[in-house]
Amino acid sequence: MQGQLFLKLQNILKHQGTDMEKFGFTISKGRQIDYDSNDRRIAEYILAKEPSFSLCIECGCCSATCTAANFTKFSLREFNILIKRGELELVSQNIKKCMLCGKCTLVCPRGVNTRNVITLAKQAFQKTESYAV
Amino acid sequence: MSKHVVVIGGGVAGLETAGRLSKEGISVSLLEKEENTGGHLSDWYKLFPDRRDSGEVKKYLDDLSKSENVLLMTGSTVAEFRKNNNHFHIITSKGKEIKADAVVVATGFDLFSSSRKEEYGYGIYDNVITSADLERMFRNGKITMANGAVPKRIGMVHCVGSRDEKVGNLYCSKLCCVTAVKQAIEIREHIKDSKVFCFYMDMRMGGAHYEELYREAQEKWGVSFIRGKVSEASESINHFIVVKVEDTLAGRPLRMEVDLLVLMAGMEMSKGGKSIAELGGLKTGENRFFEVADHHFGSNISNVAGVFYAGACTAPMNITETISHARAAVSEVTEYLKASGN
Amino acid sequence: MQFDPFIIPFNIGLNFILLYVVARSVIWFRELSRPDKLRLQRGFFGSAFAMSLKEIFMESLIHRKILKTNLRLGYMHMSLAFGWFLLILFGTIEADVFGAKHLNAPYKAIFFRFFNPEHGRSGFEAVYGFLMDLILAFVLSGLLLAVLKRFYSRIVGMKKTTQLKITDRIALTALWLIFPSRLLAESFTCGAYGTGSFLTGSLGSFLASFLPAKEMAYPFWWLYSLSLGTFFILLPITRYMHIPTELFLIFMRNAGIRTGDREGTYSEVEVHSCSSCGICIDTCQLNHSVGITTIQSAYLMKGIRNNEDITDIAENCLMCGRCDQVCPVGIELYPIRMMQRRKESAEYHYKNIYKGYLRSRVPVAAAKEAEPLSYNYLPVNEPKTTDVIYFAGCMTHLTPTIKNSMIKILDASGLEYLFLDENGGACCGRPMMLAGQDREARELINYNSQMIWKSGAKTLVTSCPICYKVFKESYHLDAEILHHTQFIRQLIDNNRVSLKFLRKKVVYHSPCDLGRGSGVYDEPREVLNYISRLEDTRYMDSNSQCCGGSLGNMRLSSEQRRKIAIDAAEILTESKPDILATACPLCKKTFSAVTDTKVSDISEIVAEALTSPVNSKNTLAKALSEKQLIGA
Amino acid sequence: MKKEGKKAIWSEYQKEIADDKFFYVRSCIRQNFFPGSEVAFLRIMRDVLGKDVYEHPCHTTCSGIGYHSDVVPVDTAMTVVARQFALMTEAGYKNYVPSCITSFGLYTEIMETWQHFPEVKERIRLHLKNATGREFEVPSNLAHASDVIYKFRKEIAAKAKYKLINKNTGEPLKVVDHIGCHYAKMFPSKGVGGAEYPYVLAGMVEEWGGEVVDYPERRHCCGFGFRQYLVQANRGYSVACSKEKFESMKPYKPDMIITNCPGCPMFLDRWQYVINEMEGKRYGQNGEGIPVFTYEEVAGLVLGFDPWDLGLQMHQTDCEPVLDKMGIEYSPEDKYKTDKNKIVHEVRTLVNA
């Protein structure tokens, strides 16, 4: 234990090491969606090719019947919203969990072509390398 | 002996009641505190759900109530209100004394004064307006920000002064949601590439064709609906309004700058109604609207025999319901007059 | 030496097209895969050769299939193709018999009248002349229909014909000029010399009566040669390339070569054998019900030939396979469209060079490094060993009546079974495949296969035709794969279930993936016949319609799907049946939303007809049914 | 921005503040956060304004810091508060003035509770009797120290030697006012100007020549929530809150921040140093920080007290820029000299870090 403590102190004195080592805490990253600085081109891309995307009232019927959601954390309702808000991190990591089985399209009370939305989203992520799936 | 009825309030309900009563051969004195009748109707631009011009309904009501049986007294309120052996003595603020066999209270509603919701900064930040202000802008055909520029991104805050314990109004005003959707569509029609955001807790689109209007707003006009009650609005350095809300369906707080923020003010018991309640000893409910005798088959009857209610003074109502409620009041009055036989 | 300058354009055109066709065939043959080369060689010398000749005669000349589907359109094609063939054939004989030498250059046969104006005055020559005129009239009648079809397609009973490209237009005009210019040329020559038969002779003498026939004839002979020449030159880059290519196709098909799922010579030959005749457009429900007329197979083929961006065309299709059934040229349209959907993962694709006269194969950049697995979140658990596996499929979970009926039937059968995806298993992979994403589909296929192998099942029963087709085609299972209608059929045969007759008038909608997709037509109808009064409908079995709910199409809006479903349901329930039966959860869900007639799956009707006592515990059912068997 | 809108709200929230004979109660932590403030308050009240401010030697903490950290049960807190009131009654005073905003919040809460539930008050009376034998009276007027300074802001302005005005540009200093959350957020009617647009500090600033800045995150907490900064694991939230505020006020280029709570000046001042260390960001103009003051310090500066007597050298964000702008003479050399001019330990500040 002594050695480790000494190393910690040494770091503090020499001003290296991460904030965590120097201060014992870091500045918490906010969870706020900053709508104005987000990039919503992927949402616009999807909306242009699939107009029914605008009809979603976020009722969650699709996520309820989802085959993948039965096994893992995957909510199409949440992804639709996050895409519209330009929060793409979570979506790009999880979108390939979808099996395209089509149950969501079948149950959607607003007739949103969810299968096409997912496919277009995947294409869009492929195109923008920062979120390559 | 022809009967005489006093109708207090010259809005939609008052005009409809006066007109229908005169058709039954009953003479009416119609008291209206403003200089002209129509109540809020003359503030509206187009009406939901079919977005017809409000002038058409105004014209219908004016034609209906223009008859020699109806004595219109504008600019006068009720100073005194006494009832003795089922006659009513009413003295108006202009000193005129009226004797009547029955009274119909049609004092309607007042819009919630949005400045009471301090955290939204109405009256403080330049670009925070209410839905009534927006209707006026539509009527004059110009939607502009305080500095005259055309707004591109508009936010609409639902439930301002309704369903809100902090301002003492627990009830839902029922019509702000559909008004917001209607106005969102009108904004999109007036301003070409504008973008409208509605911040709602629940979309209460219960009336006929309301849901279709909601769908049209999404499908045709690309209006975005974000579920979350706006916590506060403040002004950024370039006079945009910063809206802070939690996007509850994304489960994360959200910050957004809008050019114009429209507060959908709810409906409250009117100031005139409150004074009539005191003068006439009329009971008001927990939400301060008049307490009706029975919610199913007595929604026009008050706790004082001979005094009847018509329209939104009993509860938030749209124009269709107000007119039907007024017609029901007329049938209650005629039945009462026949029964009392004096 | 009979020669005249006007024959030069004809000769150039003819030699060019012959050389081109030979060269093209050699290239195509060289690019064939080894097994296909062997098949083709064996095909040339075996019985397939005779079959091919017969098919060439019946299809390329007579156009038997088009005649069967649309008489007037068939006659038009037959008269042009068969008529022209006869003209060439008898023209050559004429040149041999009556000409100076026996073996003549082709131009001598085609322009025989020019070189022998005096010919045909009497005896046998006149009879032969009459025959030649008869053939010419036959061709001209077809030509007349073709011209009218172009401007008013109703004449030939076609709602819509394909739009044409510029080169197509020029080639078409050249084609249309060939026979009229021959008629006029021969008539003027006959008019000038007083020869010719009923057509050329009478027209000739009529014209000669007020025109200087001798001088007028020569320009028409030029026109005749020029139009032939242009037509031959332009042929390779127009849809008329289908004329030579189809011969090559017929030989390859009869030799046993199939399209497979990779672009190659056979798919290239198929793409160039499409004559854009428009029959696939006419039969497509997207055309009738939704008014979409730009995505049908004719445009897909044209798009591939001209290297256009056809993602929209490739993806907006119900994949119902109806156009496959009616294509007169017999092209396997379904696999070719799937190839276009798998564009990203293809190893190579074709590119036009020399303005489309030739196409070269271009290797596509190697696929990205192995992508991380998409479905490693699926739980790997040990299924219990069993003989029979019931795999409901995603869509069946949305139609619980089917699931419950199947459980009732399985329990009643007394067989030991495992309901593999009872609480929602993984998708069978076919919808992913339909979207052209094979790699992810393969992952799902492996996942499901593991479970099925581990269970050691001998029979796999599924309720969804979409799953059935992928189990059959892409899974490598040793279990026997049955759609539940086949399974019920087996139960009835080994009378494991006893069913009562339901006095119900039933019509059967054959789901695309079960019928056309997998060839299962009989068992569903037999089961229905066994327990109810099954009636026929306007479209049955291989040309039954699609319900519109297909997962093959990602682009249709819910409104468009409804229109297709409404039209299809209307036709199906023309005879006011009690029940519209089908064998697919997706069809059931789509139809039940658009018709008042009761829509049930065959399993539901069977469950209703079950007489033997049903109980949920297998063992108890087993004991009972054993007793019943002994007792029966 | 329409000023009348705010004035209309301010007029609704007028508060009754006593004008003399104050029973002053100190804060537990303000001495070691900003040592000069409480002394300055007493000096201003007694020497400058000539008010009677009595400080009972035996008064203790109000136990609010424990109560808000779930360490002290509410009955105990009430009994401690009752004892404070007992000291006040014994000393013959009726106007209770706590120096700390959290205490003010707790006193208001307890007095409101007693008013609505008299039986609780009797129970506490019994507790106090058993524990200390003392009797207590509820003060007739409760006002926070900043309310009192607000009440006499005009008198202070009259005696002012300096103004909150930039000497060389003549422009009023742009001041961000940050009100402690416990001041009015729980009981809006108990704060001057209400909870949304509190006027207690804005009144002082406008009276002394400054201009108040209204920036979007003005309602945001400064990060001093006990459970945020006490527990190291949460300290990241605390500095993140301050950062939100700094990012939001930066465009307005404020000259200084005025506060009235023990925690806000501490953290708005210290976190500027930490953020500079962690992210190298500074929110003031030309590479400086934004100096943070308590209202007593500002009053002292306006009255011409020596900055080092006010304890400004203890700030980690240097105050010299404001002193220069206001034109206050001060001697940099004896910044860290005690009255026996012995050098005390030098504080590592933002600029010279």
Side-chain angles (χ1 to χ4, degrees):
Chain A
M1 225 336 248
Q2 247 55 27
Q4 218 206 2
L5 203 61
F6 175 72
L7 189 68
K8 209 155 174 286
L9 276 171
Q10 212 186 13
N11 265 340
I12 290 173
L13 294 175
K14 281 212 284 337
H15 277 283
Q16 296 122 3
T18 61
D19 295 341
M20 185 55 94
E21 278 147 5
K22 276 165 55 184
F23 291 87
F25 62 92
T26 56
I27 300 180
S28 309
K29 194 170 158 306
R31 288 183 62 252
Q32 188 180 55
I33 299 173
D34 189 343
Y35 190 84
D36 301 322
S37 60
N38 275 350
D39 164 14
R40 281 182 297 285
R41 270 173 299 153
I42 287 192
E44 277 139 26
Y45 170 80
I46 294 172
L47 192 60
K49 287 190 179 269
E50 184 50 63
S52 70
F53 185 48
S54 68
L55 279 174
C56 172
I57 49 172
E58 292 129 14
C59 65
C61 200
C62 51
S63 334
T65 190
C66 176
T67 316
N70 197 15
F71 298 106
T72 178
K73 190 179 177 314
F74 178 88
S75 159
L76 183 55
R77 171 192 63 74
E78 188 186 358
F79 290 164
N80 277 348
I81 297 170
L82 290 177
I83 290 175
K84 283 178 188 163
R85 306 285 182 269
E87 292 282 320
L88 304 171
E89 214 41 52
L90 184 70
V91 185
S92 68
Q93 281 147 15
N94 287 291
I95 194 149
K96 54 184 172 37
K97 291 181 176 173
C98 162
M99 305 184 197
L100 274 181
C101 73
K103 283 171 76 177
C104 47
T105 314
L106 221 57
V107 298
C108 175
R110 265 293 176 85
V112 177
N113 188 347
T114 48
R115 249 174 121 241
N116 200 22
V117 168
I118 286 264
T119 314
L120 291 170
K122 263 190 189 173
Q123 278 167 15
F125 284 134
Q126 236 108 35
K127 285 208 182 84
T128 43
E129 27 346 297
S130 49
Y131 299 108
V133 169
Chain B
M1 219 284 282
S2 83
K3 296 281 182 281
H4 188 69
V5 173
V6 167
V7 174
I8 304 168
V12 173
L15 290 172
E16 179 70 23
T17 314
R20 292 284 163 195
L21 282 173
S22 69
K23 279 208 165 56
E24 301 288 327
I26 298 165
S27 65
V28 174
S29 29
L30 178 55
L31 303 179
E32 168 51 49
K33 66 177 187 311
E34 299 301 334
E35 282 323 312
N36 35 45
T37 60
H40 292 281
L41 198 51
S42 16
D43 304 338
W44 308 146
Y45 167 59
K46 287 203 164 61
L47 307 174
F48 50 79
D50 52 3
R51 297 192 19 243
R52 53 122 46 106
D53 195 289
S54 62
E56 290 167 19
V57 176
K58 181 89 174 51
K59 186 177 170 313
Y60 154 77
L61 289 169
D62 289 346
D63 299 348
L64 180 72
S65 57
K66 204 177 273 66
S67 94
E68 73 286 355
N69 281 357
V70 175
L71 171 61
L72 175 60
M73 290 186 253
T74 56
S76 42
T77 58
V78 173
E80 261 170 64
F81 181 110
R82 273 194 330 285
K83 177 182 179 188
N84 38 38
N85 51 48
N86 58 42
H87 282 288
F88 294 90
H89 292 273
I90 293 173
I91 300 166
T92 72
S93 55
K94 287 184 175 161
K96 196 146 182 339
E97 221 230 315
I98 312 162
K99 199 159 94 53
D101 305 299
V103 173
V104 178
V105 177
T107 47
F109 65 93
D110 285 346
L111 281 178
F112 170 75
S113 71
S114 300
S115 50
R116 280 172 54 201
K117 202 64 184 165
E118 294 162 8
E119 55 269 43
Y120 292 157
Y122 178 67
I124 296 171
Y125 302 129
D126 304 344
N127 292 316
V128 178
I129 62 172
T130 67
S131 46
D133 302 337
L134 186 57
E135 287 287 308
R136 248 188 307 288
M137 285 192 187
F138 281 128
R139 284 174 74 90
N140 332 338
K142 289 210 295 29
I143 322 287
T144 58
M145 293 155 66
N147 57 12
V150 175
K152 277 292 174 255
R153 189 193 282 177
I154 294 103
M156 310 189 84
V157 184
H158 291 224
C159 298
V160 175
S162 308
R163 303 179 71 199
D164 187 346
E165 182 215 53
K166 289 296 180 293
V167 293
N169 294 347
L170 303 184
Y171 55 88
C172 158
S173 300
K174 200 162 90 164
L175 311 172
C176 335
C177 275
V178 62
T179 310
V181 170
K182 170 191 86 84
Q183 289 183 328
I185 293 175
E186 282 159 349
I187 290 170
R188 290 283 295 113
E189 272 170 347
H190 276 76
I191 306 170
K192 205 169 63 55
D193 45 20
S194 56
K195 181 82 179 118
V196 181
F197 293 87
C198 288
F199 300 101
Y200 69 96
M201 292 197 285
D202 304 290
M203 283 306 291
R204 297 191 163 185
M205 303 289 287
H209 309 303
Y210 288 10
E211 180 69 16
E212 287 82 344
L213 209 58
Y214 180 18
R215 188 184 170 107
E216 182 196 338
Q218 280 185 296
E219 192 167 29
K220 202 159 160 241
W221 305 103
V223 175
S224 294
F225 291 86
I226 299 178
R227 188 189 179 278
K229 182 156 177 73
V230 172
S231 65
E232 66 207 67
S234 36
E235 199 174 64
S236 70
I237 193 149
N238 36 32
H239 293 293
F240 290 123
I241 299 300
V242 178
V243 170
K244 285 181 79 179
V245 67
E246 178 183 310
D247 184 338
T248 56
L249 297 176
R252 292 181 47 197
L254 181 128
R255 174 192 187 286
M256 175 192 291
E257 278 184 16
V258 291
D259 306 344
L260 197 64
L261 193 68
V262 184
L263 306 182
M264 304 310 301
M267 298 163 93
E268 278 183 339
M269 174 63 152
S270 65
K271 227 168 28 338
K274 284 198 198 94
S275 69
I276 299 292
E278 281 131 28
L279 290 170
L282 301 167
K283 261 170 75 231
T284 54
E286 184 212 11
N287 52 22
R288 301 191 304 286
F289 284 98
F290 284 117
E291 185 66 43
V292 293
D294 185 291
H295 286 296
H296 296 96
F297 46 77
S299 68
N300 302 96
I301 301 164
S302 77
N303 56 314
V304 171
V307 175
F308 300 90
Y309 299 129
C313 61
T314 57
M317 281 183 188
N318 63 27
I319 290 171
T320 326
E321 288 155 342
T322 309
I323 290 179
S324 321
H325 197 251
R327 287 178 186 161
V330 166
S331 69
E332 294 283 0
V333 168
T334 44
E335 198 192 326
Y336 166 80
L337 291 181
K338 256 200 239 74
S340 61
N342 53 5
Chain C
M1 225 292 271
Q2 294 173 322
F3 175 78
D4 192 289
F6 83 84
I7 63 146
I8 295 167
F10 165 72
N11 271 355
I12 296 167
L14 185 67
N15 297 335
F16 165 79
I17 191 66
L18 288 178
L19 256 172
Y20 177 83
V21 167
V22 167
R24 198 71 193 263
S25 313
V26 167
I27 295 170
W28 272 335
F29 181 79
R30 240 184 43 263
E31 282 176 356
L32 267 175
S33 62
R34 267 207 56 65
D36 284 349
K37 277 201 180 87
L38 291 173
R39 283 201 192 92
L40 198 56
Q41 274 151 7
R42 229 183 303 106
F44 257 101
F45 304 108
S47 61
F49 186 75
M51 259 217 310
S52 307
L53 281 184
K54 177 171 162 303
E55 195 180 333
I56 287 172
F57 180 77
M58 288 309 287
E59 281 314 323
S60 303
L61 295 178
I62 305 296
H63 291 85
R64 184 177 49 81
K65 261 198 203 143
I66 304 187
L67 277 171
K68 234 168 39 184
T69 46
N70 180 336
L71 196 63
R72 277 164 292 178
L73 188 70
Y75 175 77
M76 180 191 94
H77 280 89
M78 182 178 76
S79 63
L80 274 170
F82 188 47
W84 197 354
F85 171 76
L86 290 176
L87 214 59
I88 298 166
L89 184 66
F90 284 96
T92 334
I93 297 166
E94 189 179 35
D96 284 357
V97 168
F98 303 103
K101 297 202 281 19
H102 282 301
L103 276 177
N104 300 304
Y107 74 83
K108 284 215 178 72
I110 301 295
F111 305 118
F112 180 80
R113 175 60 63 198
F114 176 81
F115 293 107
N116 322 83
E118 299 300 336
H119 169 72
R121 284 218 189 286
S122 63
F124 181 62
E125 281 178 11
V127 168
Y128 202 92
F130 177 84
L131 175 67
M132 287 303 284
D133 270 17
L134 185 67
I135 299 172
L136 185 58
F138 175 42
V139 173
L140 283 169
S141 64
L143 189 67
L144 185 66
L145 262 179
V147 172
L148 290 173
K149 164 179 172 284
R150 178 48 53 192
F151 298 108
Y152 181 56
S153 55
R154 194 74 62 241
I155 288 277
V156 245
M158 292 273 289
K159 291 194 187 49
K160 203 150 167 18
T161 110
T162 44
Q163 284 95 1
L164 294 175
K165 239 163 60 180
I166 300 300
T167 40
D168 280 334
R169 234 172 261 290
I170 300 167
L172 190 63
T173 9
L175 175 65
W176 282 352
L177 283 176
I178 291 172
F179 300 102
S181 55
R182 175 181 172 114
L183 174 69
L184 288 170
E186 283 190 346
S187 307
F188 274 113
T189 314
C190 298
Y193 292 86
T195 55
S197 182
F198 71 98
L199 181 63
T200 47
S202 44
L203 180 64
S205 51
F206 167 71
L207 289 174
S209 60
F210 58 94
L211 284 170
K214 200 161 184 343
E215 295 68 25
M216 293 285 288
Y218 193 61
F220 280 98
W221 283 107
W222 264 101
L223 182 66
Y224 184 26
S225 164
L226 259 173
S227 48
L228 271 172
T230 348
F231 181 67
F232 287 144
I233 301 281
L234 287 177
L235 191 75
I237 50 169
T238 64
R239 59 182 188 153
Y240 304 104
M241 182 62 191
H242 84 274
I243 301 169
T245 324
E246 198 178 341
L247 314 181
F248 202 63
L249 177 73
I250 289 170
F251 276 106
M252 290 174 81
R253 188 189 309 127
N254 289 332
I257 300 174
R258 288 295 172 271
T259 316
D261 52 15
R262 283 280 167 272
E263 277 187 304
T265 300
Y266 192 71
S267 75
E268 277 298 297
V269 169
E270 282 183 304
V271 161
H272 285 84
S273 306
C274 162
S275 63
S276 303
C277 66
I279 286 182
C280 56
I281 300 170
D282 234 31
T283 187
C284 178
Q285 283 168 265
L286 287 186
N287 172 8
H288 301 313
S289 302
V290 182
I292 298 176
T293 56
T294 54
I295 56 90
Q296 283 72 13
S297 303
Y299 295 115
L300 181 74
M301 298 299 151
K302 193 152 75 72
I304 298 172
R305 277 201 304 269
N306 308 324
N307 281 109
E308 288 153 9
D309 171 13
I310 43 166
T311 27
D312 292 346
I313 294 179
E315 281 175 10
N316 191 359
C317 156
L318 290 166
M319 305 303 276
C320 67
R322 293 186 83 232
C323 49
D324 269 66
Q325 304 289 332
V326 295
C327 173
V329 182
I331 302 172
E332 292 176 282
L333 300 167
Y334 180 93
I336 291 180
R337 193 178 285 268
M338 279 311 294
M339 288 178 208
Q340 295 309 319
R341 289 192 174 191
R342 287 194 291 267
K343 217 62 174 141
E344 277 81 28
S345 57
E347 296 117 61
Y348 50 80
H349 57 75
Y350 280 79
K351 193 161 68 57
N352 273 354
I353 47 176
Y354 303 116
K355 280 211 179 44
Y357 276 92
L358 275 178
R359 280 165 71 80
S360 71
R361 212 158 60 163
V362 176
V364 174
K368 294 194 276 310
E369 77 302 336
E371 299 279 333
L373 287 173
S374 310
Y375 305 111
N376 36 27
Y377 60 81
L378 289 171
V380 182
N381 39 38
E382 294 307 321
K384 74 176 171 47
T385 54
T386 170
D387 288 347
V388 176
I389 273 189
Y390 174 56
F391 185 92
C394 302
M395 288 301 158
T396 313
H397 287 289
L398 276 179
T399 51
T401 44
I402 298 176
K403 199 164 59 167
N404 301 341
S405 311
M406 276 312 292
I407 291 169
K408 242 170 96 180
I409 295 165
L410 283 159
D411 289 346
S413 75
L415 291 167
E416 255 280 312
Y417 72 95
L418 163 68
F419 188 171
L420 191 64
D421 58 340
E422 184 152 17
N423 24 48
C427 179
C428 65
R430 178 140 160 66
M432 195 56 94
M433 214 181 260
L434 281 168
Q437 296 170 20
D438 277 13
R439 200 184 47 68
E440 288 93 343
R442 184 53 54 195
E443 246 184 90
L444 291 171
I445 289 170
N446 294 345
Y447 173 76
N448 284 325
S449 306
Q450 294 269 337
M451 301 263 269
I452 296 165
W453 287 329
K454 278 190 199 138
S455 73
K458 297 201 181 35
T459 323
L460 169 63
V461 183
T462 178
S463 291
C464 167
I466 302 168
C467 306
Y468 177 77
K469 184 174 169 66
V470 77
F471 281 138
K472 273 284 208 196
E473 284 170 3
S474 312
Y475 279 65
H476 308 293
L477 302 169
D478 36 31
E480 185 201 12
I481 298 157
L482 297 173
H483 183 261
H484 69 237
T485 48
Q486 295 171 311
F487 175 69
I488 293 168
R489 181 79 180 79
Q490 274 181 7
L491 290 183
I492 296 172
D493 289 353
N494 4 336
N495 62 60
R496 277 204 168 272
V497 283
S498 53
L499 304 170
K500 62 177 186 280
F501 183 78
L502 303 171
R503 256 172 300 290
K504 288 260 175 52
K505 213 168 80 172
V506 172
V507 289
Y508 171 60
H509 161 73
S510 160
C512 301
D513 272 355
L514 188 62
R516 271 186 300 277
S518 316
V520 173
Y521 294 115
D522 306 332
E523 290 91 337
R525 302 189 73 83
E526 281 153 8
V527 168
L528 282 173
N529 259 322
Y530 187 76
I531 53 173
S532 63
R533 279 211 330 280
L534 179 60
E535 294 199 338
D536 288 351
T537 52
R538 198 191 310 175
Y539 298 103
M540 290 220 290
D541 293 345
S542 72
N543 62 35
S544 72
Q545 294 205 314
C546 172
C547 71
S550 153
L551 292 177
N553 191 315
M554 199 102 65
R555 296 294 178 88
L556 287 178
S557 71
S558 54
E559 206 31 53
Q560 289 168 322
R561 284 185 191 279
R562 253 180 77 80
K563 284 211 194 85
I564 299 171
I566 289 168
D567 293 351
E570 231 164 71
I571 294 168
L572 277 167
T573 54
E574 271 163 350
S575 60
K576 296 281 167 288
D578 301 329
I579 301 175
L580 165 55
T582 183
C584 163
L586 190 50
C587 295
K588 170 184 161 134
K589 211 157 179 48
T590 314
F591 276 138
S592 39
V594 292
T595 174
D596 306 335
T597 324
K598 183 167 186 300
V599 183
S600 348
D601 189 272
I602 290 179
S603 57
E604 291 167 59
I605 306 171
V606 167
E608 198 189 324
L610 272 175
T611 51
S612 65
V614 170
N615 34 48
S616 60
K617 287 292 159 294
N618 290 349
T619 42
L620 191 58
K622 205 159 186 316
L624 261 173
S625 63
E626 288 308 328
K627 190 164 68 55
Q628 191 201 11
L629 264 179
I630 301 152
Chain D
M1 179 86 70
K2 302 192 197 72
K3 281 291 253 178
E4 320 74 39
K6 281 192 181 171
K7 284 203 174 60
I9 291 178
W10 289 335
S11 60
E12 276 166 38
Y13 293 94
Q14 288 314 332
K15 193 171 111 166
E16 202 259 325
I17 304 168
D19 48 20
D20 204 342
K21 289 190 66 46
F22 300 102
F23 183 82
Y24 184 59
V25 180
R26 295 225 178 198
S27 141
C28 324
I29 42 177
R30 291 192 77 211
Q31 280 94 347
N32 51 27
F33 283 172
F34 294 99
S37 294
E38 291 189 332
V39 171
F41 174 78
L42 293 174
R43 204 172 134 203
I44 294 168
M45 294 301 289
R46 290 176 180 147
D47 312 348
V48 174
L49 299 173
K51 297 298 175 186
D52 166 11
V53 184
Y54 175 73
E55 209 191 336
H56 196 291
C58 316
H59 79 276
T60 66
T61 166
C62 70
S63 77
I65 201 163
Y67 170 64
H68 288 295
S69 303
D70 286 348
V71 171
V72 166
V74 69
D75 269 21
T76 319
M78 286 189 180
T79 315
V80 167
V81 162
R83 180 183 169 283
Q84 301 275 69
F85 291 161
L87 296 179
M88 179 189 72
T89 323
E90 281 149 25
Y93 282 84
K94 289 218 175 340
N95 305 325
Y96 198 90
V97 176
S99 144
C100 155
I101 224 60
T102 316
S103 307
F104 173 73
L106 183 64
Y107 291 122
T108 318
E109 187 182 333
I110 290 173
M111 284 165 66
E112 279 291 309
T113 318
W114 286 348
Q115 202 195 336
H116 290 282
F117 304 95
E119 70 281 7
V120 172
K121 191 167 146 189
E122 290 328 314
R123 189 174 79 230
I124 299 301
R125 196 181 291 285
L126 208 60
H127 284 330
L128 191 63
K129 197 93 183 100
N130 308 344
T132 64
R134 290 182 195 274
E135 273 302 326
F136 73 96
E137 282 301 318
V138 174
S140 62
N141 182 271
L142 171 71
H144 182 253
S146 59
D147 291 333
V148 174
I149 297 288
Y150 165 80
K151 183 174 174 96
F152 303 117
R153 63 189 187 284
K154 288 197 168 37
E155 289 79 352
I156 293 173
K159 295 191 167 71
K161 258 182 81 203
Y162 298 101
K163 284 271 178 244
L164 294 178
I165 289 173
N166 189 323
K167 263 279 180 294
N168 21 39
T169 66
E171 293 285 322
L173 290 182
K174 288 223 247 4
V175 183
V176 163
D177 68 323
H178 180 78
I179 308 297
C181 295
H182 293 244
Y183 175 68
K185 276 190 181 170
M186 286 108 160
F187 296 91
S189 58
K190 294 292 190 283
V192 172
E196 276 316 316
Y197 307 96
Y199 188 61
V200 58
L201 294 180
M204 294 180 201
V205 167
E206 278 168 5
E207 199 54 45
W208 299 338
E211 181 205 330
V212 178
V213 166
D214 183 333
Y215 61 104
E217 294 301 346
R218 72 186 155 68
R219 294 181 192 80
H220 201 287
C221 158
C222 71
F224 179 65
F226 294 118
R227 250 156 293 162
Q228 280 176 345
Y229 80 91
L230 269 177
V231 179
Q232 189 181 42
N234 294 349
R235 207 158 288 160
Y237 293 133
S238 180
V239 68
C241 288
S242 297
K243 188 174 174 225
E244 279 285 307
K245 290 180 80 67
F246 292 132
E247 295 286 342
S248 173
M249 69 175 80
K250 187 165 195 226
Y252 293 81
K253 298 191 180 58
D255 297 307
M256 58 187 270
I257 300 175
I258 182 170
T259 62
N260 68 345
C261 144
C264 306
M266 163 70 175
F267 279 99
L268 289 176
D269 177 53
R270 290 330 188 249
W271 287 150
Q272 282 192 61
Y273 172 80
V274 168
I275 291 172
N276 179 42
E277 281 291 305
M278 286 188 176
E279 295 184 351
K281 266 203 195 139
R282 296 182 180 191
Y283 292 101
Q285 291 127 55
N286 35 52
E288 295 147 356
I290 309 172
V292 189
F293 298 94
T294 66
Y295 58 93
E296 296 108 334
E297 286 168 350
V298 176
L301 286 177
V302 167
L303 288 168
F305 291 3
D306 179 335
W308 311 136
D309 292 350
L310 286 169
L312 300 189
Q313 66 272 42
M314 292 305 292
H315 290 220
Q316 235 175 336
T317 317
D318 315 85
C319 310
E320 280 80 348
V322 171
L323 305 182
D324 305 338
K325 284 178 188 162
M326 289 173 68
I328 298 171
E329 304 92 21
Y330 60 94
S331 53
E333 332 56 56
D334 48 21
K335 181 169 182 183
Y336 294 106
K337 279 209 188 74
T338 62
D339 44 15
K340 305 181 184 55
N341 42 47
K342 187 159 74 46
I343 301 289
V344 291
H345 161 64
E346 196 180 324
V347 172
R348 185 185 291 132
T349 65
L350 192 69
V351 176
N352 57 23

